[in-house]
Amino acid sequence: MKKKILLLSCGIAFALGNLEAQANIPAVVTNAFKAKFPDVQNVEWKAANNNFEADFTVNGLQETASFTSNGILLETDKKMSLDSVPAIVKDGLKRSIYANWTIGEVTYIDNSKTTFYKIYVVNNSTAEKKFLYFNSQGILIMAKAVL
């Protein structure tokens, strides 16, 4: 019985904290989000480094939109399948030194400066993990180790 009460109390505290966090998002930010993504429901907001991030799902795929406190859209991240990645980017991966690594999650990132594809890869023989960043022309622009 004590465990049930404790679990229920934790659940209520989490829900109230989540509602409070949602309520602290400036109206200018939520209005900018609604203007950019008018049909999206069930948005989860969080504050991050003086900016705000909205996590949501579109067509079954996870997306994140980052806004300044003034409602300016900084970046959108869209999870996607490898099949959805343009052929030129897949060819860039095949030509890279990471061609034989196991491919994991793929994210399309669009910010105010550029667009690129972030591909998580793992070397099965060494367990080394990296994020590979390809531009829209299929050129590997950065490989970042995952700790």
Side-chain angles (χ1 to χ4, degrees):
M1 183 68 168
K2 287 181 183 179
K3 286 183 182 181
K4 286 182 183 179
I5 292 172
L6 180 62
L7 287 174
L8 181 60
S9 298
C10 289
I12 291 170
F14 176 77
L16 290 175
N18 194 30
L19 286 174
E20 183 176 327
Q22 300 263 342
N24 290 330
I25 307 301
V28 67
V29 173
T30 57
N31 291 338
F33 175 83
K34 290 174 189 174
K36 179 73 175 168
F37 305 97
D39 298 326
V40 172
Q41 302 294 320
N42 301 320
V43 180
E44 289 187 27
W45 287 96
K46 62 183 169 189
N49 299 327
N50 297 323
N51 295 320
F52 299 93
E53 291 183 355
D55 291 321
F56 54 99
T57 303
V58 174
N59 298 326
L61 297 174
Q62 180 186 348
E63 294 192 29
T64 301
S66 301
F67 292 86
T68 67
S69 59
N70 296 325
I72 298 169
L73 179 63
L74 296 171
E75 179 176 289
T76 57
D77 299 1
K78 300 177 184 181
K79 303 293 183 206
M80 60 190 315
S81 68
L82 185 61
D83 293 338
S84 301
V85 174
I88 195 165
V89 176
K90 287 190 256 187
D91 289 343
L93 177 59
K94 288 178 188 175
R95 289 190 311 273
S96 76
I97 62 172
Y98 305 100
N100 294 324
W101 290 35
T102 300
I103 299 167
E105 188 172 84
V106 178
T107 306
Y108 173 75
I109 301 171
D110 182 1
N111 64 35
S112 60
K113 298 174 189 155
T114 188
T115 60
F116 51 95
Y117 296 84
K118 179 173 84 170
I119 303 173
Y120 175 78
V121 293
V122 177
N123 182 328
N124 289 333
S125 60
T126 65
E128 187 178 2
K129 302 170 187 173
K130 292 196 181 241
F131 285 120
L132 307 178
Y133 295 84
F134 288 88
N135 66 16
S136 57
Q137 290 79 39
I139 298 170
L140 178 62
I141 54 176
M142 182 172 56
K144 184 176 178 182
V146 177
L147 305 175

